[in-house]
Amino acid sequence: MKDELPYDIEKDIFGSLKAIKSLQSEKVYKIKSPETPLNNKLATIEKIGTDDFLCKVYCEDLIEPIAGSKSAGYGAFEDLHLESDEDIYFIKAKSVLEINMSLNIPSLLQFKLTHFQRGGVEDFDNKHLRLIIPVSNKPSLTALTNKRLKTGNHYLPSGLVEVNLNNEPFHLYKSVNADSNYLIIESQEPITFDKFKKASDSLITAYALISGNLHLGEYFYHVIEGDFNAKQRVIYEKNEPAAITNVTLLNHIEFKNHLENTTSSKAFHHHCVPMSTDVFSSLCQTIHDNTIYARCCRFIIEGHQSKQVLLKGGIYSIGIETIAAILYEENAERINPIEDKKLAKKIISKVREAIGEYDAFISSYGKNILDAKINALNSPTNAKKLSRPFELFGITLPEEDVAILNTRNKFLHGTSPLENNENPEELQAIVNKLLFMLMVLMFKHAGYSGHIIHYPDYIKYRYTSPYSGQLFFTI
């Protein structure tokens, strides 16, 4: 008998997968919603393949819906409660995609669901919760400091990441086999369902920024307390499609291999490590607390997906503007021209007095413009708002990069920084440089220090021979 492979943490997801399979299989239900025309009707619900859950309601005496009343849509747009095998099920309001009705008697009412659950709303609060996301690719956690994982008979050397969010522990891990792949998030302490959903969104968004893959699609939430023979509580939710781009700027294994062929190997060996648990937790926390920052992360994935180079440049430019504004709010005193607030206030007051001497010669329109400019006297230019954060992080941008940073307005206004857009390769290089600088700001803001792929040169390296350039930076 062979020795068992070493692992740090073992997970048993069999109960969750069994509960999900049970929810997806066809069952007969009785609808218990007295305020709707569907009350006491028999229904079947099942999920076929990758399609939505399909609900069929069998009606002999269906009352036509009255516009503006709770019977509108036959009540399918209201919360619906169902019973089966002495257990309760629930369909959340506004979860119906479409309604079809046969003309036969008895009638058959069909609708597709974006939400369906076993158990009431209260059954998911203050429990240990698990989110299982079926994914089309094999998720990779190698860019993050991770643990060796065992799930069933599968051993994953890079399988689980520990995350601390709001001082609560979570696990982000994967399950990979020949038949199906899953990305899984799990609370390590009892938590309310709403808090778990928000925490999960934060982890998924942070992972998307690192991996380039935003896993959406179908979500299955599962209560993991109790034994497998107990009534398993599961929630199904359908989201917008996933965005799988595989665009990542962190690859410590490639960096290590690269250094082995350079004279800098010893000097930069300590940068050959994945992103630490603390840094990834910090990134998750920022995304959790700042909706603008979270939106910026998802902007980046949208940019990765775009096949239009100008649109891609515009999206990355929005991202740079967004993160620069956040960094300015957090470091205004260090970015403003005059760091001393009292001195700045005094200077502004004197400028206002000097301008006031000429009030008689200035129109009301002119006074409003000048007053706005005086109030913004201690604010940096837009260009400095973009470049100064790099200096605060100890990063000196070459003049060429500063010039590219200042092309953002061209992209934001739908035009190209190149005349007549004659050189697509040069335009692509500019866009890739914008992505690189954006990711530097995002990672440094999270507290990251280490390697980062120099994306413009990395793309050239993959498609150009011979190649000369810098594939990696340390930040």
Side-chain angles (χ1 to χ4, degrees):
M1 181 177 178
K2 293 183 179 180
D3 292 336
E4 187 175 52
L5 294 173
Y7 60 90
D8 300 306
I9 296 175
E10 182 175 9
K11 294 289 185 182
D12 189 345
I13 62 171
F14 170 76
S16 292
L17 298 181
K18 183 180 177 182
I20 289 170
K21 187 175 181 180
S22 175
L23 187 74
Q24 293 175 320
S25 61
E26 185 179 30
K27 288 191 187 70
V28 178
Y29 303 85
K30 178 172 279 191
I31 299 174
K32 290 295 184 180
S33 294
E35 295 183 356
T36 75
L38 302 182
N39 188 44
N40 287 324
K41 306 296 183 190
L42 291 179
T44 62
I45 300 177
E46 68 175 324
K47 189 174 185 294
I48 303 174
T50 58
D51 292 336
D52 305 302
F53 276 83
L54 180 64
C55 178
K56 299 177 182 178
V57 185
Y58 301 88
C59 313
E60 294 183 359
D61 54 350
L62 190 64
I63 302 172
E64 285 296 319
I66 302 171
S69 72
K70 280 201 170 184
S71 65
Y74 303 100
F77 300 127
E78 306 298 322
D79 288 343
L80 289 178
H81 293 80
L82 307 96
E83 292 180 355
S84 179
D85 299 327
E86 298 182 349
D87 201 359
I88 62 168
Y89 293 77
F90 181 63
I91 299 172
K92 190 166 59 176
K94 301 179 181 178
S95 298
V96 174
L97 287 177
E98 59 185 55
I99 298 177
N100 293 308
M101 181 179 176
S102 70
L103 298 177
N104 299 329
I105 298 177
S107 297
L108 177 63
L109 193 65
Q110 298 188 75
F111 41 85
K112 293 181 178 180
L113 305 175
T114 60
H115 168 275
F116 181 49
Q117 71 185 59
R118 183 178 185 179
V121 176
E122 67 284 353
D123 293 330
F124 294 85
D125 266 342
N126 300 310
K127 301 288 195 304
H128 283 86
L129 298 174
R130 175 184 285 161
L131 168 60
I132 295 185
I133 308 172
V135 297
S136 58
N137 67 329
K138 291 186 177 181
S140 173
L141 300 174
T142 56
L144 303 167
T145 299
N146 51 69
K147 302 275 188 173
R148 295 168 299 182
L149 176 69
K150 178 186 177 184
T151 56
N153 295 321
H154 297 277
Y155 295 82
L156 300 171
S158 301
L160 181 144
V161 176
E162 295 177 318
V163 183
N164 188 289
L165 182 62
N166 290 333
N167 295 318
E168 296 179 326
F170 295 87
H171 285 170
L172 170 69
Y173 61 101
K174 62 183 181 179
S175 174
V176 177
N177 57 55
D179 300 324
S180 54
N181 302 314
Y182 303 100
L183 188 68
I184 303 168
I185 296 171
E186 188 178 291
S187 68
Q188 299 306 292
E189 296 177 356
I191 189 172
T192 67
F193 182 65
D194 287 343
K195 285 185 177 180
F196 181 71
K197 281 193 72 174
K198 186 170 182 181
S200 297
D201 285 343
S202 303
L203 268 67
I204 290 164
T205 302
Y207 176 71
L209 186 70
I210 303 300
S211 67
N213 299 324
L214 180 60
H215 291 290
L216 299 171
E218 296 184 324
Y219 285 8
F220 291 91
Y221 296 94
H222 184 217
V223 177
I224 55 177
E225 291 181 330
D227 61 61
F228 296 152
N229 296 318
K231 293 177 180 177
Q232 298 295 309
R233 300 315 192 199
V234 186
I235 293 177
Y236 164 83
E237 286 187 358
K238 183 162 187 177
N239 305 290
E240 60 189 275
I244 307 301
T245 72
N246 295 314
V247 176
T248 177
L249 271 66
L250 294 181
N251 191 323
H252 67 286
I253 297 173
E254 277 198 28
F255 183 47
K256 184 176 181 179
N257 293 335
H258 170 72
L259 288 182
E260 288 177 354
N261 298 314
T262 70
T263 57
S264 305
S265 180
K266 291 182 180 179
F268 293 102
H269 182 74
H270 63 286
H271 291 296
C272 298
V273 293
M275 178 180 283
S276 71
T277 297
D278 287 344
V279 172
F280 185 65
S281 294
S282 172
L283 177 62
C284 293
Q285 190 70 57
T286 302
I287 290 169
H288 181 276
D289 296 341
N290 191 326
T291 55
I292 296 174
Y293 191 96
R295 199 177 304 128
C296 183
C297 293
R298 298 206 175 195
F299 276 161
I300 293 171
I301 306 301
E302 288 295 326
H304 296 344
Q305 288 192 108
S306 177
K307 293 180 173 58
Q308 300 296 320
V309 181
L310 284 177
L311 178 57
K312 190 187 296 258
I315 293 172
Y316 293 154
S317 295
I318 292 172
I320 289 174
E321 291 268 343
T322 302
I323 186 64
I326 291 172
L327 289 168
Y328 175 69
E329 288 181 9
E330 295 176 357
N331 301 275
E333 292 181 8
R334 301 171 67 193
I335 297 177
N336 286 338
I338 306 167
E339 293 186 13
D340 190 320
K341 286 185 177 181
K342 290 183 179 179
L343 178 60
K345 190 174 181 180
K346 186 174 181 180
I347 292 173
I348 290 172
S349 178
K350 285 188 175 294
V351 172
R352 185 171 278 110
E353 287 176 10
I355 297 293
E357 295 178 9
Y358 301 91
D359 274 357
F361 306 98
I362 304 172
S363 67
S364 297
Y365 169 76
K367 288 177 183 177
N368 289 335
I369 292 177
L370 288 173
D371 193 53
K373 288 183 176 294
I374 292 169
N375 287 334
L377 189 63
N378 196 33
S379 297
T381 62
N382 283 337
K384 273 296 179 185
K385 274 187 179 179
L386 295 178
S387 62
R388 178 62 175 156
F390 290 93
E391 298 172 16
L392 297 180
F393 290 132
I395 298 169
T396 302
L397 290 178
E399 290 298 323
E400 175 190 354
D401 289 5
V402 174
I404 288 176
L405 198 60
N406 290 329
T407 64
R408 74 205 183 284
N409 274 338
K410 293 282 188 179
F411 287 108
L412 292 174
H413 289 91
T415 60
S416 170
L418 303 177
E419 275 193 41
N420 301 321
N421 198 16
E422 290 180 353
N423 191 334
E425 290 184 2
E426 186 179 352
L427 181 62
Q428 184 71 58
I430 289 173
V431 171
N432 289 335
K433 179 69 80 169
L434 287 172
L435 171 61
F436 170 73
M437 290 188 283
L438 171 56
M439 295 302 287
V440 167
L441 288 180
M442 298 290 282
F443 288 157
K444 292 304 291 182
H445 182 266
Y448 174 76
S449 291
H451 76 284
I452 181 171
I453 294 173
H454 187 228
Y455 204 63
D457 281 356
Y458 184 76
I459 296 298
K460 288 180 186 176
Y461 170 72
R462 291 173 63 186
Y463 299 107
T464 304
S465 180
Y467 163 80
S468 63
Q470 187 170 353
L471 293 181
F472 292 89
F473 276 81
T474 55
I475 58 175

